[in-house]
Amino acid sequence: ALDMQRALSGEENPDYATVEADWGNALLTTGEAPEGERVLRANLERRRRLLDERHPAIGATQYLLGASLQFQRRFPEAMEQFLLALANAEAAYGAEHQQVQAILSNMTRTYAHMKMWNEGEQAALRSLALSTKLYGPESIARLSTLSILGNIQAGQRNFAASERTGLDVIALGRKLDSSYDATVGLQNLALGRADQGDFAGAIDFYTQALAASRAAAPNDSLTHTAGLFPLAGFLARNGRYVEAERYYREALGIRVSRLPPATWQVANARSLLGDVLISLKRYDEAERELLAAEAAFSADTAASAQSVVALRQPENRARLVRLYEATGDRTKAARWQPHR
């Protein structure tokens, strides 16, 4: 379509820019965020040459560019684009438009990732009010923002509010048949209980979250890992390594059966399992998992994986250091120390 439009109108044409923006969005939705970013940056410059800066098409590209950066976990850069897109959308459409609500929802998520709790709460409350006005009180748009708000409130250590929001998310998620959001709501409740020192309550909510994800899909579905990893991680952080191993092994088994071996998802599951095996003093098994994880991290060259690999591979190398220090092998431990 892009080649056809180029032949019809040339590149310096609003119609070509529209098709180009659609192509950038298509790349984003298929997981090719870095390539989508490249296309969208070119599109933004093209639209600036062709259109007034206040034109809503420029804001639309800024919004998509922000989403691409958010996907790559480049949150400050994403927020910069979302703020520009929000100002554009409000000027073009007014403060109560669907585009404004969509931008606010993504800003809420980005603020949460940046741990900017107060800013995130403000964006969430505005997004919720607008989604209720536009779509009613029982919409996926409202549910999505509500689940992030619960996480923000937990970050603010406002546990009473986080628990109320979590219960709302669970109820609405079940009503809308959204098992993912119901799972997130239960996990937010677990986080609140854990931060209050209620270990049994946290385990109960994490277990309910896992049950919710299991009920929504077959036993080997990748969606189950959304319930398995938080429960296993909580158990490991509290010294219950045998139970944590069981859930990490189940999560790893699902990812191995569903994904190619040289992916960061499989690598990270192996790394987390290896970490628990170190704590259980099963060092040979831990070494196998951590070295396999290192190989998989290094082999995952997909552009969309690089931001996650850059975050998780150093964690795996730190676990290798911990392993070899525990076994007294200083030479191997030094090999995996970060170079300064």
Side-chain angles (χ1 to χ4, degrees):
L2 199 61
D3 290 339
M4 185 180 297
Q5 189 61 52
R6 183 186 292 112
L8 289 171
S9 65
E11 293 187 355
E12 295 302 302
N13 180 281
D15 291 338
Y16 178 87
T18 298
V19 178
E20 183 181 45
D22 290 342
W23 172 237
N25 186 38
L27 289 167
L28 173 61
T29 56
T30 56
E32 294 299 318
E35 179 63 14
E37 178 194 351
R38 185 191 66 77
V39 171
L40 290 166
R41 286 194 184 279
N43 180 255
L44 183 58
E45 292 307 310
R46 192 181 320 283
R47 282 182 157 169
R48 280 177 167 153
R49 291 194 297 269
L50 295 170
L51 304 168
D52 184 87
E53 186 70 24
R54 295 167 295 179
H55 196 285
I58 289 179
T61 299
Q62 289 167 330
Y63 171 59
L64 291 174
L65 180 56
S68 175
L69 293 164
Q70 182 192 65
F71 185 87
Q72 297 175 75
R73 304 185 68 82
R74 290 158 57 187
F75 300 119
E77 294 173 82
M79 184 57 69
E80 180 182 359
Q81 295 301 322
F82 286 144
L83 288 169
L84 291 169
L86 180 64
N88 180 289
E90 289 177 326
Y93 304 121
E96 297 184 347
H97 190 269
Q98 293 176 354
Q99 182 74 351
V100 172
Q101 191 278 324
I103 296 167
L104 286 167
S105 180
N106 275 278
M107 287 174 62
T108 300
R109 189 179 302 277
T110 303
Y111 278 133
H113 280 295
M114 296 167 71
K115 301 189 188 310
M116 296 176 65
W117 308 124
N118 293 338
E119 294 86 347
E121 181 185 33
Q122 292 172 16
L125 293 175
R126 188 177 168 197
S127 176
L128 287 170
L130 191 49
S131 64
T132 300
K133 184 168 186 176
L134 291 169
Y135 310 115
E138 297 179 357
S139 68
I140 289 293
R142 185 172 183 275
L143 177 60
S144 177
T145 302
L146 200 62
S147 65
I148 305 166
L149 176 60
N151 186 26
I152 289 169
Q153 290 165 333
Q156 294 172 314
R157 304 189 70 79
N158 187 350
F159 300 123
S162 178
E163 183 152 334
R164 287 194 300 271
T165 301
L167 291 170
D168 288 343
V169 168
I170 294 163
L172 185 55
R174 287 170 175 164
K175 185 172 288 189
L176 296 176
D177 197 26
S178 175
S179 61
Y180 171 78
D181 287 291
T183 299
V184 170
L186 287 159
Q187 287 170 352
N188 284 338
L189 289 173
L191 284 170
R193 293 298 175 90
D195 283 338
Q196 295 173 78
D198 181 1
F199 181 87
I203 287 291
D204 180 51
F205 280 124
Y206 275 126
T207 304
Q208 288 185 53
L210 177 57
S213 68
R214 289 190 196 282
N219 286 335
D220 60 348
S221 170
L222 282 169
T223 60
H224 289 179
T225 61
L228 287 165
F229 282 114
L231 174 56
F234 181 76
L235 290 166
R237 288 191 299 275
N238 285 276
R240 292 172 61 167
Y241 302 118
V242 172
E243 294 164 275
E245 179 195 359
R246 176 163 64 91
Y247 291 117
Y248 275 141
R249 283 198 183 279
E250 183 180 352
L252 174 60
I254 291 171
R255 285 189 171 178
V256 166
S257 70
R258 291 289 183 169
L259 297 170
T263 57
W264 71 261
Q265 295 95 327
V266 171
N268 199 49
R270 290 192 184 282
S271 184
L272 291 167
L273 174 59
D275 195 37
V276 165
L277 291 169
I278 296 171
S279 298
L280 290 169
K281 303 186 188 309
R282 287 156 54 189
Y283 299 127
D284 289 345
E285 294 175 73
E287 183 179 40
R288 283 197 299 273
E289 295 298 343
L290 293 172
L291 290 177
E294 181 65 24
F297 278 127
S298 297
D300 192 347
T301 57
S304 59
Q306 295 316 296
S307 60
V308 183
V309 170
L311 178 69
R312 299 303 180 195
Q313 191 168 28
E315 295 175 350
N316 187 66
R317 290 174 178 175
R319 289 168 183 142
L320 281 163
V321 172
R322 186 166 84 91
L323 167 67
Y324 292 126
E325 286 178 344
T327 59
D329 193 330
R330 294 182 179 179
T331 301
K332 287 185 178 179
R335 175 188 173 192
W336 296 106
Q337 289 282 3
H339 299 294
R340 300 188 183 277

